[in-house]
């Protein structure tokens, strides 16, 4: 029996995707070879890469002025690559500080140039997304984190700025329709809503490149990865294939509008229980509640272990909060079925009956 898997990432993937992926490990499309034994220069793999890139472009409504890359080094390496490629030493980049991952991006950018943190919700324990801020017109770019995986806040409206907008979408990529044309660069580690760890999707608008004075090492240079079509070095072939299967699955399900409907239904059900259950409360301010990572606490922290134990008995896994925050975090990524949310809600109600 499969677990109700609320893991924050690597996270749950659709069963149909796992089945196809495991078949491909043994024998890719009757070729007599497993996909992970196959050259990345083979026609089979080049087709996979091309379809994956094409699907990403379609989902974001992007034209030829954008390129899609599948790189390695995680979303964390993008914290470095972005300023390396876009920010000269005497220039300024604007960042919105909405959580640990945003802080990580800011820390790296400071190695390359000036960083203007236009707003931060740090003082508030990152319970909300700052709304009032001004992005200086001379900033080279403005970096946001659309979903804050640890604290459980999400941006549903994106700032309108005159400077290129860059988004870390690692934990809410393809959870709803988003017009990619608002952004000059989007990146996401695959391991939450797309596939296994090992590859990071980067969407980049070509006109932002080639403007810094510094020399950029090849492996960190977007222009080189674009020129070599994500094959400057050996790409993470299997991880990219699983991403492709997930992208196909999204289309089969009805696309991003349908995905969003399901995600609203799942998260609403859980937040409703958090608000109604006398034992629990939500961590973040209601208007910025994430649909992907739902953070909640017990009024009486001494009961945490007991609740985790009850969840375990109900086949529920992965709901322990991040070590910096404590409490609970239920990650409701695209592939998590409604029944899993119902199981968690059921466990919370059962717990309230026992303890109430
Ligand atoms: N950004 C966000 C929003 C994340 O949630 C994570 C990982 N949880 C990262 C960046 C770092 O990703 P990676 O581990 O792929 O470097």
């Amino acid at each position: 029996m499969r677990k109700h898997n609320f893991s924050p990432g690597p996270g749950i993937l659709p069963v149909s995707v796992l089945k196809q992926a495991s078949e491909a490990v043994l024998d890719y499309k009757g070729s007599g070879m497993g996909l992970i034994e196959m050259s990345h220069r083979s026609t089979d793999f080049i087709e996979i890469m091309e379809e994956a890139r094409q699907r990403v472009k379609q989902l974001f409504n992007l034209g030829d002025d954008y390129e899609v890359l599948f790189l390695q080094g995680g979303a964390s390496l993008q914290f470095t690559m972005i300023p390396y490629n876009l920010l000269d030493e005497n220039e300024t980049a604007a960042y919105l500080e909405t959580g640990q991952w945003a802080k990580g991006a800011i820390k790296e950018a400071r190695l390359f140039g000036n960083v203007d943190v236009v707003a931060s919700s740090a003082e508030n324990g990152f319970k909300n997304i700052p709304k009032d801020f001004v992005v200086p017109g001379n900033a080279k770019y403005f970096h946001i984190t659309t979903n804050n995986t640890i604290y459980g806040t999400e941006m549903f409206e994106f700032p309108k700025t005159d400077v290129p907008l860059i988004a870390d979408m690692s934990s809410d990529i393809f959870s709803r329709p988003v017009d990619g044309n608002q952004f000059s660069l989007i990146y996401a580690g695959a391991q939450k809503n797309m596939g296994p760890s090992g590859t990071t999707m980067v969407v980049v608008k070509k006109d932002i490149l080639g403007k810094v004075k510094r020399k950029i090492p090849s492996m960190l240079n977007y222009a080189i990865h674009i020129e070599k079509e994500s094959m400057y070095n050996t790409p993470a072939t299997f991880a990219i294939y699983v991403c492709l299967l997930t992208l196909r699955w999204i289309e089969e399900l009805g696309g991003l509008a349908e995905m969003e409907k399901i995600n609203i239904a799942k998260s609403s059900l859980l937040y409703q229980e958090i608000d109604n259950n006398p034992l629990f409360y939500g961590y973040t301010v209601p208007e910025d509640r994430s649909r992907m990572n739902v953070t909640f606490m017990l009024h009486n922290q001494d009961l945490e272990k007991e609740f985790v134990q009850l969840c375990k008995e109900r086949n529920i896994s992965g709901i322990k909060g991040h070590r910096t925050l404590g409490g609970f975090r239920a990650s409701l990524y695209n592939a998590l079925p409604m029944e899993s949310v119902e199981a968690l809600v059921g466990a919370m109600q059962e717990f309230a009956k026992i303890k109430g």
Side-chain angles (χ1 to χ4, degrees):
M1 187 166 65
R2 276 180 63 80
K3 284 244 161 72
H4 298 299
N5 181 359
F6 292 91
S7 166
I12 187 167
L13 290 171
V15 180
S16 62
V17 166
L18 296 176
K19 278 198 181 130
Q20 293 172 76
S22 47
E23 282 159 18
V25 168
L26 285 172
D27 186 4
Y28 184 68
K29 287 199 341 198
S31 64
M33 232 188 263
L35 177 72
I36 58 176
E37 306 171 295
M38 206 175 261
S39 166
H40 58 296
R41 309 249 175 233
S42 63
T43 319
D44 278 329
F45 184 71
I46 288 171
E47 274 174 19
I48 290 169
M49 180 72 103
E50 280 182 0
E51 188 186 332
R53 287 166 43 194
Q54 212 41 51
R55 282 183 180 273
V56 169
K57 273 194 166 182
Q58 265 167 18
L59 288 171
F60 277 130
N61 308 315
L62 299 174
D64 291 340
D65 43 345
Y66 284 84
E67 289 287 347
V68 179
L69 302 170
F70 284 94
L71 306 180
Q72 294 170 59
S76 300
L77 187 60
Q78 294 310 306
F79 297 169
T80 309
M81 278 178 74
I82 289 162
Y84 215 137
N85 284 261
L86 304 176
L87 182 65
D88 261 326
E89 231 172 283
N90 51 350
E91 295 175 329
T92 300
Y95 279 73
L96 191 62
E97 191 179 68
T98 51
Q100 291 286 345
W101 299 110
K103 278 171 77 172
I106 290 165
K107 178 170 171 245
E108 295 305 295
R110 287 201 167 116
L111 299 173
F112 297 91
N114 304 317
V115 173
D116 183 349
V117 176
V118 297
S120 170
S121 45
E123 270 185 23
N124 187 24
F126 295 117
K127 285 182 184 159
N128 68 307
I129 305 267
K131 308 284 186 315
D132 291 322
F133 49 80
V134 178
V135 179
N138 68 340
K140 284 305 288 293
Y141 60 83
F142 180 37
H143 179 285
I144 60 173
T145 312
T146 54
N147 185 72
N148 297 284
T149 325
I150 295 174
Y151 298 95
T153 57
E154 188 168 6
M155 292 178 93
F156 295 104
E157 273 183 45
F158 305 118
K160 310 242 176 310
T161 63
D162 296 329
V163 309
L165 189 59
I166 293 186
D168 176 356
M169 292 194 186
S170 292
S171 48
D172 65 348
I173 187 91
F174 302 139
S175 62
R176 59 190 152 126
V178 165
D179 181 7
N181 292 287
Q182 303 164 78
F183 300 91
S184 291
L185 194 146
I186 296 169
Y187 63 101
Q191 66 270 18
K192 295 164 202 298
N193 257 344
M194 280 194 294
S197 59
T199 191
T200 306
M201 187 212 72
V202 182
V203 174
V204 58
K205 195 172 184 189
K206 286 178 277 189
D207 69 359
I208 61 168
L209 300 177
K211 295 183 178 162
V212 287
K213 293 189 201 86
R214 77 168 63 83
K215 293 194 172 111
I216 306 170
S218 305
M219 269 300 280
L220 301 179
N221 191 334
Y222 290 123
I224 297 227
H225 288 295
I226 289 172
E227 187 194 324
K228 302 290 180 191
E229 304 190 317
S230 300
M231 302 229 198
Y232 173 72
N233 73 320
T234 315
T237 54
F238 182 66
I240 295 166
Y241 179 58
V242 182
C243 288
L244 170 61
L245 294 174
T246 308
L247 295 170
R248 285 182 187 157
W249 172 82
I250 291 173
E251 182 179 304
E252 283 156 22
L253 205 93
L256 294 180
E258 190 56 33
M259 202 74 258
E260 179 177 42
K261 263 194 223 156
I262 299 169
N263 287 328
I264 289 175
K266 287 189 300 186
S267 55
S268 306
L269 180 67
L270 183 51
Y271 282 120
Q272 207 175 16
E273 182 58 29
I274 290 168
D275 291 340
N276 292 338
N277 190 307
L279 302 184
F280 296 92
Y281 65 97
Y283 178 72
T284 68
V285 302
E287 68 264 26
D288 295 329
R289 283 174 163 178
S290 167
R291 293 176 192 149
M292 294 285 103
N293 308 99
V294 177
T295 46
F296 57 106
M297 311 279 170
L298 271 164
H299 291 289
N300 178 359
Q301 283 184 9
D302 296 343
L303 298 178
E304 271 186 19
K305 275 205 180 113
E306 259 180 276
F307 183 62
V308 171
Q309 182 54 33
L310 177 72
C311 285
K312 211 169 158 189
E313 286 161 19
R314 298 292 170 269
N315 204 29
I316 292 166
S317 122
I319 59 152
K320 225 168 159 304
H322 189 271
R323 60 193 177 279
T324 54
L325 192 61
F328 303 98
R329 168 176 54 174
S331 298
L332 317 182
Y333 294 131
N334 283 349
L336 184 91
M338 183 57 129
E339 300 82 76
S340 292
V341 182
E342 287 163 357
L344 177 56
V345 165
M348 290 165 76
Q349 289 172 349
E350 196 182 333
F351 201 56
K353 271 200 201 118
I354 302 167
K355 298 291 166 191

